[in-house]
Amino acid sequence: MTVSPGDTEAMPSTFNRIKERKLAQWALAYLAGAWLILEVTDVVGGRFGLPDTLYRGLFILIVFGFFAALVLAWYHGEKGRQRVGGLELLLLTGLFGLAGVAVTVVGRAEFDGDVAAVGDGLELEFSPEVVARRIAVLPFDNLSPDREADEYLVDGIHDEILTRLSQIDAFDVISRASVMRFRGPAAPDSRTIGDSLQAGLILAGTVRRAGSSFRLAVQLTDARTDRNLWADTYD
Protein backbone atom coordinates (compact mmCIF):
# COMPACT_ATOMS: atom_id res chain seq x y z
CA MET A 1 0.00 0.00 0.00
CA THR A 2 1.45 3.34 -1.04
CA VAL A 3 0.80 6.56 0.81
CA SER A 4 0.97 9.79 -1.10
CA PRO A 5 2.69 12.85 0.37
CA GLY A 6 -0.67 14.58 0.59
CA ASP A 7 -2.03 11.81 2.82
CA THR A 8 0.95 12.00 5.20
CA GLU A 9 0.39 15.70 5.54
CA ALA A 10 -3.37 15.31 6.09
CA MET A 11 -3.09 12.81 8.95
CA PRO A 12 -1.12 14.98 11.39
CA SER A 13 -3.09 17.98 10.22
CA THR A 14 -6.38 16.31 11.22
CA PHE A 15 -4.93 15.25 14.56
CA ASN A 16 -3.67 18.75 15.19
CA ARG A 17 -7.07 20.18 14.37
CA ILE A 18 -8.66 17.82 16.88
CA LYS A 19 -6.18 18.98 19.52
CA GLU A 20 -6.66 22.60 18.50
CA ARG A 21 -10.42 22.35 18.95
CA LYS A 22 -9.98 20.49 22.29
CA LEU A 23 -12.57 17.87 21.31
CA ALA A 24 -11.42 15.42 24.01
CA GLN A 25 -11.68 18.06 26.74
CA TRP A 26 -15.07 19.21 25.50
CA ALA A 27 -16.32 15.62 25.40
CA LEU A 28 -15.17 14.93 28.97
CA ALA A 29 -16.69 18.16 30.25
CA TYR A 30 -19.97 17.40 28.49
CA LEU A 31 -20.16 13.85 29.86
CA ALA A 32 -19.40 15.03 33.39
CA GLY A 33 -22.04 17.75 33.13
CA ALA A 34 -24.57 15.29 31.68
CA TRP A 35 -23.95 12.88 34.55
CA LEU A 36 -24.48 15.71 37.03
CA ILE A 37 -27.77 16.63 35.36
CA LEU A 38 -28.96 13.00 35.45
CA GLU A 39 -28.06 12.64 39.13
CA VAL A 40 -29.84 15.88 40.07
CA THR A 41 -32.88 14.84 38.06
CA ASP A 42 -32.91 11.44 39.77
CA VAL A 43 -32.82 13.00 43.24
CA VAL A 44 -35.44 15.63 42.42
CA GLY A 45 -37.60 13.09 40.60
CA GLY A 46 -37.50 10.71 43.55
CA ARG A 47 -38.58 13.51 45.85
CA PHE A 48 -41.43 14.84 43.69
CA GLY A 49 -42.41 11.67 41.83
CA LEU A 50 -41.54 12.81 38.32
CA PRO A 51 -42.70 10.43 35.55
CA ASP A 52 -40.33 7.93 33.92
CA THR A 53 -40.98 9.48 30.51
CA LEU A 54 -39.13 12.59 31.68
CA TYR A 55 -36.00 10.53 32.44
CA ARG A 56 -36.13 8.77 29.07
CA GLY A 57 -36.64 12.04 27.21
CA LEU A 58 -33.78 13.70 29.10
CA PHE A 59 -31.44 10.78 28.38
CA ILE A 60 -32.24 10.88 24.64
CA LEU A 61 -31.72 14.64 24.62
CA ILE A 62 -28.33 14.27 26.31
CA VAL A 63 -27.22 11.63 23.79
CA PHE A 64 -28.09 13.82 20.80
CA GLY A 65 -26.64 16.85 22.58
CA PHE A 66 -23.30 15.08 22.91
CA PHE A 67 -22.88 14.77 19.15
CA ALA A 68 -24.18 18.29 18.63
CA ALA A 69 -21.60 19.62 21.11
CA LEU A 70 -18.78 17.86 19.25
CA VAL A 71 -19.94 19.28 15.93
CA LEU A 72 -20.10 22.80 17.36
CA ALA A 73 -16.67 22.40 18.94
CA TRP A 74 -15.27 21.28 15.59
CA TYR A 75 -16.69 24.06 13.46
CA HIS A 76 -16.42 26.89 15.97
CA GLY A 77 -13.27 25.90 17.82
CA GLU A 78 -10.47 27.18 15.65
CA LYS A 79 -7.42 28.53 17.39
CA GLY A 80 -7.91 32.15 18.21
CA ARG A 81 -11.67 31.74 18.68
CA GLN A 82 -11.42 29.39 21.66
CA ARG A 83 -12.21 31.31 24.80
CA VAL A 84 -11.82 28.30 27.09
CA GLY A 85 -8.46 26.63 27.54
CA GLY A 86 -7.83 22.91 27.78
CA LEU A 87 -6.85 23.14 31.45
CA GLU A 88 -10.00 25.10 32.20
CA LEU A 89 -12.09 22.40 30.53
CA LEU A 90 -10.40 19.71 32.60
CA LEU A 91 -11.02 21.70 35.77
CA LEU A 92 -14.65 22.10 34.73
CA THR A 93 -14.85 18.33 34.19
CA GLY A 94 -13.47 17.73 37.66
CA LEU A 95 -15.96 20.14 39.23
CA PHE A 96 -18.87 18.49 37.44
CA GLY A 97 -17.60 15.08 38.54
CA LEU A 98 -17.26 16.11 42.18
CA ALA A 99 -20.70 17.71 42.12
CA GLY A 100 -22.14 14.51 40.64
CA VAL A 101 -20.55 12.41 43.39
CA ALA A 102 -21.88 14.80 46.05
CA VAL A 103 -25.40 14.65 44.62
CA THR A 104 -25.21 10.85 44.48
CA VAL A 105 -24.11 10.58 48.12
CA VAL A 106 -26.76 13.03 49.31
CA GLY A 107 -29.44 11.29 47.26
CA ARG A 108 -28.59 7.88 48.68
CA ALA A 109 -28.50 9.27 52.22
CA GLU A 110 -31.95 10.80 51.76
CA PHE A 111 -33.24 7.54 50.27
CA ASP A 112 -31.95 5.54 53.24
CA GLY A 113 -33.51 8.07 55.60
CA ASP A 114 -36.83 7.85 53.78
CA VAL A 115 -36.78 4.06 53.96
CA ALA A 116 -36.07 4.19 57.69
CA ALA A 117 -38.82 6.77 58.18
CA VAL A 118 -41.27 4.66 56.23
CA GLY A 119 -40.34 1.65 58.33
CA ASP A 120 -40.89 3.62 61.53
CA GLY A 121 -44.17 4.92 60.19
CA LEU A 122 -45.39 1.40 59.48
CA GLU A 123 -44.63 0.40 63.04
CA LEU A 124 -46.53 3.36 64.45
CA GLU A 125 -49.53 3.33 62.18
CA PHE A 126 -51.21 0.26 63.69
CA SER A 127 -54.10 1.09 65.98
CA PRO A 128 -54.48 -0.73 69.32
CA GLU A 129 -57.31 -2.77 67.82
CA VAL A 130 -55.08 -3.96 64.97
CA VAL A 131 -52.16 -4.72 67.30
CA ALA A 132 -54.47 -6.78 69.51
CA ARG A 133 -55.14 -9.29 66.71
CA ARG A 134 -51.61 -9.41 65.28
CA ILE A 135 -50.02 -12.70 66.31
CA ALA A 136 -46.38 -13.72 66.11
CA VAL A 137 -45.68 -17.45 66.02
CA LEU A 138 -42.12 -17.78 67.27
CA PRO A 139 -39.85 -20.60 66.07
CA PHE A 140 -40.31 -23.56 68.38
CA ASP A 141 -37.46 -24.67 70.62
CA ASN A 142 -36.14 -28.11 69.80
CA LEU A 143 -35.59 -29.97 73.09
CA SER A 144 -35.01 -33.41 71.56
CA PRO A 145 -31.74 -35.23 72.37
CA ASP A 146 -30.83 -35.42 68.69
CA ARG A 147 -31.48 -31.82 67.74
CA GLU A 148 -30.11 -32.00 64.21
CA ALA A 149 -32.18 -35.07 63.28
CA ASP A 150 -35.44 -33.53 64.49
CA GLU A 151 -34.85 -29.95 63.31
CA TYR A 152 -36.74 -30.53 60.05
CA LEU A 153 -39.78 -31.72 61.99
CA VAL A 154 -39.70 -28.71 64.31
CA ASP A 155 -39.54 -26.33 61.33
CA GLY A 156 -42.35 -28.25 59.63
CA ILE A 157 -44.63 -27.89 62.67
CA HIS A 158 -43.86 -24.17 62.82
CA ASP A 159 -44.75 -23.72 59.14
CA GLU A 160 -47.93 -25.76 59.54
CA ILE A 161 -49.17 -23.65 62.44
CA LEU A 162 -48.39 -20.45 60.55
CA THR A 163 -50.40 -21.73 57.59
CA ARG A 164 -53.37 -22.78 59.70
CA LEU A 165 -53.52 -19.51 61.63
CA SER A 166 -53.29 -17.50 58.39
CA GLN A 167 -56.60 -19.07 57.36
CA ILE A 168 -58.36 -17.59 60.40
CA ASP A 169 -59.72 -14.11 59.69
CA ALA A 170 -59.57 -13.12 63.36
CA PHE A 171 -55.74 -13.06 63.28
CA ASP A 172 -53.18 -11.02 61.40
CA VAL A 173 -50.28 -13.47 61.26
CA ILE A 174 -46.78 -11.97 61.10
CA SER A 175 -44.61 -13.54 58.41
CA ARG A 176 -42.14 -16.32 59.12
CA ALA A 177 -39.22 -14.19 57.92
CA SER A 178 -39.97 -11.54 60.55
CA VAL A 179 -40.11 -13.95 63.50
CA MET A 180 -37.07 -16.08 62.59
CA ARG A 181 -34.68 -13.53 64.14
CA PHE A 182 -36.14 -14.45 67.54
CA ARG A 183 -35.10 -18.07 67.22
CA GLY A 184 -33.17 -19.74 70.02
CA PRO A 185 -32.86 -19.51 73.78
CA ALA A 186 -31.43 -15.99 73.63
CA ALA A 187 -34.72 -14.53 72.34
CA PRO A 188 -35.99 -11.51 74.33
CA ASP A 189 -39.13 -11.48 76.47
CA SER A 190 -42.65 -11.32 75.08
CA ARG A 191 -43.06 -7.58 75.63
CA THR A 192 -39.86 -6.78 73.73
CA ILE A 193 -40.86 -9.04 70.86
CA GLY A 194 -44.36 -7.57 70.81
CA ASP A 195 -43.03 -4.02 70.68
CA SER A 196 -40.59 -4.93 67.90
CA LEU A 197 -43.19 -6.67 65.72
CA GLN A 198 -46.20 -4.60 66.83
CA ALA A 199 -47.89 -7.85 67.82
CA GLY A 200 -50.43 -8.19 70.62
CA LEU A 201 -50.18 -11.99 70.78
CA ILE A 202 -47.15 -14.25 71.01
CA LEU A 203 -47.41 -17.99 70.36
CA ALA A 204 -44.35 -19.95 71.50
CA GLY A 205 -43.67 -23.59 72.09
CA THR A 206 -41.27 -26.50 72.42
CA VAL A 207 -40.93 -29.85 70.69
CA ARG A 208 -39.44 -32.87 72.50
CA ARG A 209 -38.91 -36.43 71.29
CA ALA A 210 -39.88 -39.27 73.64
CA GLY A 211 -39.00 -42.55 71.97
CA SER A 212 -40.99 -42.74 68.75
CA SER A 213 -43.38 -39.95 69.83
CA PHE A 214 -43.11 -36.19 69.99
CA ARG A 215 -44.59 -33.85 72.55
CA LEU A 216 -45.56 -30.36 71.48
CA ALA A 217 -46.08 -27.78 74.24
CA VAL A 218 -47.48 -24.40 73.22
CA GLN A 219 -48.55 -21.27 75.05
CA LEU A 220 -50.25 -18.07 73.98
CA THR A 221 -49.13 -14.86 75.67
CA ASP A 222 -50.51 -11.34 75.72
CA ALA A 223 -47.44 -9.37 74.65
CA ARG A 224 -48.74 -6.14 76.18
CA THR A 225 -49.15 -7.53 79.70
CA ASP A 226 -46.91 -10.65 79.48
CA ARG A 227 -49.90 -12.64 80.75
CA ASN A 228 -50.30 -16.27 79.76
CA LEU A 229 -53.67 -16.61 77.97
CA TRP A 230 -53.62 -20.27 77.07
CA ALA A 231 -51.36 -23.33 77.08
CA ASP A 232 -51.62 -26.97 76.09
CA THR A 233 -49.59 -30.03 75.13
CA TYR A 234 -50.04 -32.39 72.17
CA ASP A 235 -48.55 -35.86 71.67
Side-chain angles (χ1 to χ4, degrees), residues 183-196:
R183 185 173 194 165
D189 57 80
S190 298
R191 286 186 176 180
T192 302
I193 296 175
D195 291 339
S196 177

Side-chain angles (χ1 to χ4, degrees), residues 19-104:
K19 291 179 60 178
E20 184 180 275
R21 288 161 171 78
K22 306 178 182 67
L23 291 187
Q25 293 92 325
W26 278 111
L28 289 175
Y30 183 92
L31 291 175
W35 178 52
L36 174 60
I37 292 174
L38 289 175
E39 288 297 318
V40 171
T41 305
D42 184 53
V43 172
V44 174
R47 176 65 60 186
F48 296 100
L50 298 179
D52 293 338
T53 53
L54 177 63
Y55 296 104
R56 290 193 290 267
L58 180 61
F59 181 79
I60 294 174
L61 185 63
I62 287 175
V63 171
F64 282 102
F66 176 74
F67 295 102
L70 292 183
V71 171
L72 289 174
W74 177 264
Y75 285 104
H76 299 282
E78 293 86 353
K79 189 174 182 180
R81 298 179 60 182
Q82 286 272 8
R83 296 186 179 181
V84 182
L87 181 59
E88 293 174 323
L89 287 173
L90 292 177
L91 291 175
L92 189 63
T93 301
L95 290 176
F96 283 156
L98 290 175
V101 171
V103 171
T104 302

